[in-house]
Amino acid sequence: MSTTIAKSVGNSNPLIDHHLGADPFALTYNGRVYIYMSSDNYEYNPDGSIRENGFNNLKSVFVISSEDMVNWTDHGAIPVAGANGANGGQGIAKWAGGSWAPAAAVKNINGKDKFFLYFANGGAGIGVLTADSPIGPWHDPLGRALVTSSTPGVAGVVWLFDPAVFVDSDGTGYLYCGGGIPGGQRPSQSQIANPRTARVLRLGADMTSIVGSAVTIDAPFMFEDSGIHKHNGVYYYSYCINFSGSHPGNIPPGEIGYMTSRSPMGPFTYAGHFLKNPGSFFGAGGNNHHCVFQFKNQWYVVYHAQTVSLALYGSGKGYRSPHINPLYHNGDGSIREVAANYAGVGQLSNLNPYNRVEAETIGWNGRILTEKSYAWGGPESNQNVTGIQNGDWVAVGNADFGSGGARSFKANVASTSGGKIEVRLDSVNGRLVGTLNVPNTGGMQNWRTAETSINGATGIHKLFFVFTGNGYGNLFNFDYWQFS
């Protein structure tokens, strides 16, 4: 039987381990949280071994979403960068060579919710895409960068990247970005201590223009990774503290520090730190990138750590994966130190197995992959589970079958060899309540709905789909499932 990689059954971190994802940013909308990530993908040496991450694959934005914080639906990759034929010539922003560290926002404009995805073109500027849903399709409204080195007030920023976006209660949008230490290879201690490379810009009503000049945030020991949230009328600007020079005890290297203000454009005052470097928790350090968000009346921080690559290769090698842990504000407004761990967050709500559920909604898995699906009737950016071999599996947490229980199970599948889906409760070897025969459909994107009877599925259970078959390679693809 296939084993998990880094997300053990019962844990919530990392959020996914069937692929990577760095620099996470959270958007909450209509009872779901969407996580947008840089497209960390492994880079290889000529002999096929994994090389240190050179960040050469950050040309797309990965998106996952959840309503319960344990089961995450994979929405695939947004092909953002389009310069020089990037993303197979399908890149949306034809001027951009990269799409690093995304940030997303929603705003109601003329009675309609509009979505905005900001990204860094490497360290050279900030772009924006627009859509009518949080998963696209996405468009480039400007055909150029939104923020460049010639934007008023931006002079002096070493790295013009790592955007964070915030829409205030009055509908005004703000963009935070920047980073780096001036002084080249040998910065002075004063440049290290006060780089003055963070900026905040007021967005126009359309969210795709800049109003006035950027304002400097004098974040002490600023390195990168702007973050912003508002709690009890206070604006919290947070960032990754740099690693250079000598630091006072309250501004520790490589941790997430924060500043507060009564205005979204500052001035901000340094207040403390709340998230240690991921190396403190998971054994592989590197950069620290985060986003603070509120979901279903609780505050959280999403951040990345090298847990999946560490589990696979014994060294993180710079490849990141997303994690979430609770965040707490103290009564005086300060932020409590976050306890990052593999346990993560408890499941916030049960999953309804009588709704159509995308097969790429994954709590835990045994060595499957996902890919773009061409099945009819799926959501935008529909994916399917693939890479299925004998003994692989997918599971979701807390499926509530009710007291009456399920009587039948159907799945949309495609195959050239066929196989079986064993439906089991609570574990990969748990009670078998049904077995679905997957037919040969004549092609790996020739989809057919197959059905089988179910017996004994009542109450709330972890739900496991265990895949078996005699063929070699990918036995079949799996698009969605539903119980009746």
Side-chain angles (χ1 to χ4, degrees), residues 73-75 135-137 356-360 372-384 412 445 447 479-480:
T73 301
D74 188 347
H75 300 290
I135 57 174
R356 168 178 165 148
V357 178
E358 298 303 313
E360 63 274 15
K372 181 177 175 60
S373 178
Y374 296 90
W376 180 85
E380 177 69 26
S381 305
N382 188 24
Q383 305 287 295
N384 60 252
N412 203 36
Q445 289 292 328
W447 295 94
D479 175 38
Y480 74 84

Side-chain angles (χ1 to χ4, degrees), residues 158-297:
V158 178
W159 298 328
L160 192 49
F161 70 174
D162 285 7
V165 63
F166 171 73
V167 179
D168 210 347
S169 53
D170 65 357
T172 304
Y174 299 88
L175 189 69
Y176 302 76
C177 61
I181 304 170
Q185 295 297 315
R186 296 182 178 274
S188 67
Q189 178 63 33
S190 63
Q191 289 172 315
I192 292 169
N194 292 99
R196 297 179 61 81
T197 53
R199 296 291 186 273
V200 53
L201 305 97
R202 190 191 311 271
L203 293 167
D206 57 7
M207 297 288 285
T208 60
S209 59
I210 302 298
V211 177
S213 178
V215 173
T216 298
I217 301 174
D218 190 6
F221 294 87
M222 169 70 181
F223 188 54
E224 59 185 3
D225 175 33
S226 288
I228 186 70
H229 72 280
K230 183 180 181 181
H231 174 68
N232 285 349
V234 176
Y235 299 85
Y236 291 76
Y237 174 76
S238 45
Y239 63 99
C240 181
I241 297 166
N242 66 40
F243 297 84
S244 304
S246 57
H247 290 235
N250 67 331
I251 313 179
E255 299 193 13
I256 300 299
Y258 71 100
M259 309 176 76
T260 60
S261 177
R262 286 288 175 177
S263 164
M265 298 193 74
F268 288 88
T269 302
Y270 186 80
H273 52 91
F274 63 82
L275 182 63
K276 288 182 170 62
N277 190 272
S280 300
F281 304 105
F282 303 106
N287 70 339
N288 203 350
H289 199 107
H290 79 296
C291 172
V292 176
F293 66 100
Q294 189 177 28
F295 183 59
K296 297 184 178 178
N297 298 314

Side-chain angles (χ1 to χ4, degrees), residues 58 81 83 93 95-100 119-127 145 147 160-163:
L58 308 188
W95 55 271
S99 60
W100 296 18
F119 64 93
N121 180 31
I126 309 296
V147 182
L160 192 49
F161 70 174
D162 285 7

Side-chain angles (χ1 to χ4, degrees), residues 456-479:
T458 60
I460 300 171
H461 298 273
K462 293 183 177 69
L463 175 61
F464 286 74
F465 301 111
V466 180
F467 310 127
T468 63
N470 297 320
Y472 294 97
N474 188 26
L475 294 174
F476 52 87
N477 288 338
F478 187 15
D479 175 38

